[in-house]
Amino acid sequence: MSYSTPSDFLDYDRDHIWHPYTSMTDPLPVYLVESAHGVRIKLADGRELIDGMSSWWAAIHGYNHPVLNAAIEQQIQSMSHIMFGGFTHKPAVTLAKKLVDMTSESLQHVFFADSGSVAVEVAIKMAIQYWYAQGKKDKQKLLTVRHGYHGDTLGGMSVCDPVNGMHTMFQGVLPQHYFAPAPECYTDDSGNTSSSSSGNTSGNTSGNTSGNISSNIGAVEKLLQTHQSSIAAVIIEPLVQGAGGMRFYCRQYLQALRKLCDEYDVLLILDEIATGFARTGSLFAYEQADIEPDILCVGKALTGGYMTLAAVMTSRKVVAGISADGSGVLMHGPTFMANPLACQVANASIDLLLNSPWKTTVQSIEAQLKKELTACKELACVEAVRVKGAIGVVELKNPVDLKSIQAEFVQQGVWIRPFNKLVYIMPPYIIAAEELTKLTSSIFSVLSRK
Ligand SMILES: *Cc1c(COP(=O)(O)O)cnc(C)c1O
């Protein structure tokens, strides 16, 4: 069979290839992409879309960036890959130093993983090994909150929201962990917290804020009190819960959580795979709570969306704990660990970010999203609008029909991929004001017809 027209490719794709979270027998339609430059995605049929998704948080500098292209092209000239067992290389060491330098003081050690989900697996193993090596062999469970998302591998899934993570289907194989209610406090523009469960920015006047935070964190404390001897770590996405519901919560919750972890002798794993690299307005979201994690996972935007790479970082304390029984061997080692192409494009992406005025860039995206998405609050189908950093979320009262709404957005010339009740955007930071307006006005116009 020879492929000449776009529909040849699309036909074969439909019959043979799984896409994320789709059925093989009743697939959702997909669009054939020809190329992507900056914030524009070009389809094979000639249409052009403005990107609102950054390819799921990753392409922060846009597509086909000359500096990132050059980094990969240069690295190919020396080597594309070399095993990390017994070897090291400059791209990996350089990247480790950049990550150590840009994260909190205590995080001094780096494990390179090949995807976000694998990073979460490694973080969980680190926490369990930490206690095991110190003779606390019962500490093998995790504590997390509802509406979380930590990846699709079995270990990651086991700490995803039990309902939208579809735990029932995999009950026999998933480890059972402890779940506290999702955090329910939201920081508004003025830095005040409100207690709306949906994080609705409209009509919330302070009120019983602290009571709400404390009752929520109280549930965590109760679980820690009861199960302290079997809990190795708490794992959570700081300030923004991503794929588990696009929910935001306040820094006071994180601060209280850090205190509880210290008090009850459990480690704190922060999953910044979505929030890392300035998405929420600080390089890492945890900085806004002025706390430090014991273990940190980063991924997604690490390579600027070019290649799959993630990293797990931890402290001297955790490293010492893992080595306490004399072995200190961390039981993990993926084939493509620290791939040099991925490390080198990550180095270039981090330099681009740090040498850019990222803080004001994200602030101005945030201000524009707040201003322009507010209009959606008046629409009958809309439950809430919320914005944090370069993330804009419109939560609907009912789940969308993905097939039809996706086509409507494409018709508008934008790439926005809703899930469930959530229409949300997290555009590349390089997006121009007019392009961002095109995204927000398309959301308004599509939703106004619902
Ligand atoms: C995407 C994501 C993951 C999983 O990363 P993959 O690279 O898709 O395996 C884990 N945690 C969070 C918070 C994420 O957003």
Side-chain angles (χ1 to χ4, degrees):
M1 177 178 179
S2 73
Y3 300 94
S4 44
T5 69
S7 63
D8 292 340
F9 285 93
L10 288 169
D11 288 348
Y12 196 88
D13 181 290
R14 190 188 51 241
D15 291 341
H16 297 276
I17 309 178
W18 258 299
H19 284 263
Y21 317 107
T22 53
S23 156
M24 192 83 261
T25 50
D26 182 22
L28 289 165
V30 294
Y31 300 87
L32 188 63
V33 179
E34 196 63 47
S35 61
H37 286 265
V39 299
R40 291 175 189 258
I41 300 165
K42 199 169 170 194
L43 301 183
D45 62 15
R47 284 184 289 180
E48 207 174 66
L49 310 175
I50 294 176
D51 179 31
M53 306 306 290
S54 300
S55 284
W56 281 334
W57 313 87
I60 52 175
H61 307 297
Y63 304 89
N64 229 318
H65 196 291
V67 172
L68 302 185
N69 289 2
I72 291 198
E73 281 162 14
Q74 242 171 30
Q75 183 54 42
I76 281 182
Q77 305 303 321
S78 42
M79 66 186 154
S80 294
H81 186 62
I82 190 79
M83 63 188 286
F84 214 52
F87 286 129
T88 192
H89 47 80
K90 289 173 192 166
V93 178
T94 308
L95 179 56
K97 177 156 177 21
K98 282 187 203 298
L99 290 172
V100 165
D101 288 349
M102 75 194 292
T103 53
S104 54
E105 185 71 45
S106 60
L107 300 173
Q108 290 290 325
H109 304 275
V110 184
F111 185 101
F112 289 114
D114 31 18
S115 74
S117 301
V118 172
V120 168
E121 302 281 336
V122 171
I124 292 172
K125 286 167 79 170
M126 274 182 187
I128 290 171
Q129 278 196 240
Y130 172 81
W131 295 112
Y132 189 92
Q134 297 177 80
K136 301 205 169 155
K137 301 188 177 173
D138 289 338
K139 281 169 97 67
Q140 302 231 327
K141 299 232 180 253
L142 282 297
L143 169 56
T144 188
V145 293
R146 288 180 187 269
H147 285 290
Y149 178 77
H150 299 283
D152 290 342
T153 54
L154 291 171
M157 263 185 88
S158 72
V159 283
C160 286
D161 186 90
V163 179
N164 55 32
M166 295 178 301
H167 280 200
T168 45
M169 204 176 356
F170 303 100
Q171 216 154 29
V173 69
L174 285 188
Q176 302 295 302
H177 297 303
Y178 301 112
F179 287 86
E184 290 196 2
C185 56
Y186 176 71
T187 314
D188 66 21
D189 317 2
S190 54
N192 294 323
T193 55
S194 71
S195 57
S196 162
S197 61
S198 60
N200 196 332
T201 55
S202 65
N204 250 303
T205 48
S206 53
N208 56 356
T209 301
S210 57
N212 201 295
I213 296 171
S214 63
S215 69
N216 243 287
I217 201 77
V220 174
E221 178 155 27
K222 230 185 203 133
L223 285 166
L224 284 171
Q225 256 164 6
T226 317
H227 304 290
Q228 181 182 15
S229 61
S230 62
I231 296 176
V234 169
I235 181 166
I236 194 167
E237 299 152 275
L239 301 189
V240 173
Q241 296 187 288
M246 297 301 294
R247 296 163 54 98
F248 305 156
Y249 66 93
C250 63
R251 62 192 153 81
Q252 289 87 342
Y253 184 94
L254 265 189
Q255 290 162 342
L257 191 61
R258 174 72 270 183
K259 275 207 193 99
L260 286 176
C261 287
D262 292 338
E263 219 174 295
Y264 288 92
D265 227 13
V266 305
L267 298 177
L268 178 59
I269 302 170
L270 293 184
D271 179 349
E272 293 241 16
I273 291 165
T275 49
F277 304 100
R279 183 56 69 178
T280 67
S282 50
L283 275 182
F284 297 95
Y286 70 77
E287 294 168 25
Q288 293 174 45
D290 212 11
I291 59 157
E292 298 194 1
D294 297 297
I295 299 173
L296 175 69
C297 299
V298 298
K300 290 198 162 110
L302 174 60
T303 63
Y306 266 58
M307 297 184 71
T308 177
L309 182 70
V312 188
M313 303 185 62
T314 195
S315 62
R316 291 211 169 88
K317 170 188 143 180
V318 170
V319 164
I322 290 172
S323 302
D325 64 357
S327 107
V329 174
L330 183 66
M331 291 309 292
H332 213 95
T335 305
F336 285 96
M337 188 169 186
N339 172 261
L341 287 176
C343 288
Q344 203 54 345
V345 74
N347 284 322
S349 176
I350 291 172
D351 286 348
L352 265 185
L353 181 68
L354 295 182
N355 293 328
S356 76
W358 57 267
K359 198 159 209 150
T360 48
T361 303
V362 172
Q363 272 167 359
S364 70
I365 293 174
E366 177 173 47
Q368 193 181 342
L369 286 173
K370 277 181 176 158
K371 187 162 155 251
E372 296 180 354
L373 286 179
T374 303
C376 294
K377 280 184 201 164
E378 276 113 60
L379 299 173
C381 65
V382 171
E383 173 72 30
V385 173
R386 47 187 181 265
V387 171
K388 181 159 185 65
I391 311 166
V393 182
V394 179
E395 183 172 332
L396 308 181
K397 291 180 177 141
N398 297 300
V400 298
D401 171 24
L402 184 55
K403 199 169 176 171
S404 65
I405 202 169
Q406 184 78 87
E408 289 170 68
F409 280 127
V410 169
Q411 220 145 47
Q412 296 270 332
V414 297
W415 184 245
I416 296 170
R417 186 157 179 88
F419 72 86
N420 202 355
K421 295 178 183 171
L422 300 159
V423 176
Y424 65 107
I425 49 177
M426 57 286 200
Y429 303 158
I430 57 155
I431 196 165
E434 315 85 68
E435 292 165 331
L436 187 53
T437 299
K438 174 77 183 160
L439 291 176
T440 56
S441 61
S442 298
I443 292 176
F444 183 84
S445 100
V446 166
L447 293 183
S448 64
R449 283 182 255 122
K450 299 289 161 201

